[in-house]
């Protein structure tokens, strides 16, 4: 406890609603525990509380009823690695130069009309992560699950995590069943998920990662902890427990929008994981001083796996890889006992970079403030206290200078209800009013040239300010006839 007295004098210990130190008390209040649960490729409409017509998510629905559910939360990128970097650093992927997943940064395509810019593959050690700051404040810090932010020289242990269970430079497991190893992809790369030994046949990855997360909570005892539970689910391979797959096969009707029973079963197990975490916090008497944030790293994957479409992000357009709403709008649920109002819904647009500043604000940790023009996120604490509040921010920006099955290189800006996309192959501009057209079906650019030009110029100014790298013409490109 001596250590906590010294930290308190530095202003690093949280004093939060419902936990005020008594005058003359010998010990400061216990700091807030923080749990971030990050799903992989979970779509905005994939949870019951966000309108899914198939997936059963009672624990996440309950969490939303106990806290704040954000309707307009965005991942900073339509793919995984950049968003994960944005959460841990509070910086936009375009500023970091981490604009594509790690494997894509190392081996970019050379056969398209545009050549992608050189992207950063490993999170630089010059960046101070959320884990590093909380570790310095006396927190036990643990990553359980997916890392995908660097090689062994840039592993979680080098970025502030005391514990790393399962984190590697790979982005997806070969299989969700023990022993979690085998050949991956067309290249038959040998992959595995480390530190999950002593399992048994039939053991499921989502369950096992949850087991390890519970061990972290138990091990922390009276020490504050930061648990980053980065599930692989529901990323491909689409594999689930057979009994759950059968359950959803029987539930699908001709009118079902979501129609993939294995994907539904994966989300079922993900939801059970959240339920087990919440139950353990109650058992350990930690629920009242633990803030939980649940979100996804990008929109749902709308491609096929084994000839079956994975998910449907309707009413949003498109999916993973795209800067249409289906690729970047994600679920975000936050429960902070004593601060969030039960069942609150927040309509304010927020970005994954905001989570960094929100967590540090909640934990009472002070970090050097960058100049306003260099700060890519804001604390959401004011919104958590009052969902009718507004952030002092004009717009949200996105930049994906790469190709994916759903897109060509593109940038975008959302300002209020308006959203502009600029495609870099041909300079095409698309303008949408999301309030009346959340599915982005009616391009208003030609009808509103002044507004379109205004936000195009604003988007370009932002790209210049953050040093966003742009794709270049490929001199060797030969169109297919």
């Amino acid at each position: 406890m001596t250590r906590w007295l010294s930290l308190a004098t530095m202003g690093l210990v949280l004093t939060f609603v419902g936990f005020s130190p008594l005058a003359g008390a010998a010990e400061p209040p216990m700091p807030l525990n923080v749990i971030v649960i990050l799903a992989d490729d979970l779509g905005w409409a994939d949870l019951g509380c966000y309108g899914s017509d198939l997936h059963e998510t009672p624990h996440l629905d309950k969490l939303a009823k106990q806290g704040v559910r954000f309707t307009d939360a965005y991942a900073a990128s339509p793919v995984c690695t950049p968003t994960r970097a944005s959460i841990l650093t509070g910086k936009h992927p375009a500023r970091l130069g981490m604009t594509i997943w790690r494997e894509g940064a190392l081996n970019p395509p050379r056969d398209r009309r545009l050549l992608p810019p050189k992207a950063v593959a490993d999170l630089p050690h010059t960046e101070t992560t959320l884990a590093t700051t909380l570790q310095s404040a006396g927190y036990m810090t643990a990553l359980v699950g997916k890392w995908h932010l660097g090689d062994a020289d840039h592993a979680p242990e080098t970025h502030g995590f005391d514990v790393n269970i399962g984190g590697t430079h790979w982005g997806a497991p070969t299989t969700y069943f023990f022993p979690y190893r085998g050949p991956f992809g067309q290249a038959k790369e040998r992959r595995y998920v480390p530190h999950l030994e002593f399992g048994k046949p039939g053991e499921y990855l989502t369950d096992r990662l949850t087991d390890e997360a519970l061990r972290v909570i138990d091990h922390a005892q009276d020490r504050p902890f930061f648990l980053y539970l980065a599930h692989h689910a529901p990323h491909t391979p689409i594999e689930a427990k057979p009994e759950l797959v059968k359950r959803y096969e029987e539930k699908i009707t001709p009118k079902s929008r979501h129609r993939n029973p294995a994907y539904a079963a994966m989300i079922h197990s993900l939801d059970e994981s959240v339920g087990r975490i919440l139950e353990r916090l109650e058992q350990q008497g930690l629920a009242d001083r633990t803030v939980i944030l649940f979100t996804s790293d990008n929109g749902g994957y709308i491609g096929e796996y084994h000839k079956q479409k994975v998910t449907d992000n309707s009413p949003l357009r498109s999916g993973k890889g795209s800067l249409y709403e289906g690729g970047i709008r994600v679920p975000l649920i936050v429960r902070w006992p004593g601060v969030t109002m039960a069942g609150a819904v927040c309509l304010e647009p927020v970005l994954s970079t905001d989570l960094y500043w929100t967590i540090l604000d909640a934990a009472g940790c002070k970090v050097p403030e960058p100049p306003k023009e260099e700060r890519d996120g804001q604390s959401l604490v004011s919104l958590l206290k009052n969902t009718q509040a507004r952030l002092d921010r004009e717009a949200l920006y996105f930049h994906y200078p790469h190709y994916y099955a759903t897109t060509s290189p593109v940038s975008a800006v959302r300002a209020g209800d308006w959203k502009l996309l600029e495609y870099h192959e041909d300079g095409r501009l698309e303008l949408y009013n999301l309030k009346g057209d959340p599915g982005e079906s009616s391009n208003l650019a030609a009808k509103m040239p002044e507004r379109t030009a205004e936000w195009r110029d604003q988007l370009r100014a932002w790209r210049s300010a953050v040093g966003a790298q742009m794709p270049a013409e490929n001199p060797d490109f030969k169109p297919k006839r």
Side-chain angles (χ1 to χ4, degrees), residues 3-4 6-8 10 12-13 30-33 130-141 160 162 220 222-226 363 365:
R3 186 178 189 188
W4 286 117
S6 64
L7 287 175
M10 296 169 61
L12 295 176
V13 175
M30 288 298 292
L32 188 71
N33 301 312
L130 188 59
T132 297
T133 300
L134 292 173
Q135 185 185 59
S136 298
Y139 278 70
M140 182 183 79
T141 56
D162 299 313
D222 63 348
R223 183 181 177 186
F225 63 85
F226 167 48
C365 291

Side-chain angles (χ1 to χ4, degrees), residues 211-268:
D211 292 342
E212 301 299 330
L214 297 179
R215 287 179 58 200
V216 169
I217 294 172
D218 293 344
H219 184 79
Q221 297 182 356
D222 63 348
R223 183 181 177 186
F225 63 85
F226 167 48
L227 170 61
Y228 174 35
L229 175 53
H231 276 295
H232 285 284
H235 192 290
T236 56
I238 304 302
E239 297 179 348
K241 300 174 187 177
E243 64 274 17
L244 287 177
V245 175
K246 182 178 180 181
R247 170 176 177 162
Y248 285 98
E249 285 176 341
E250 296 173 348
K251 187 178 177 182
I252 295 173
T253 72
K255 295 183 179 180
S256 297
R257 178 166 45 89
H258 290 116
R259 305 188 60 80
N260 190 320
Y263 184 77
M266 293 180 80
I267 293 176
H268 189 110

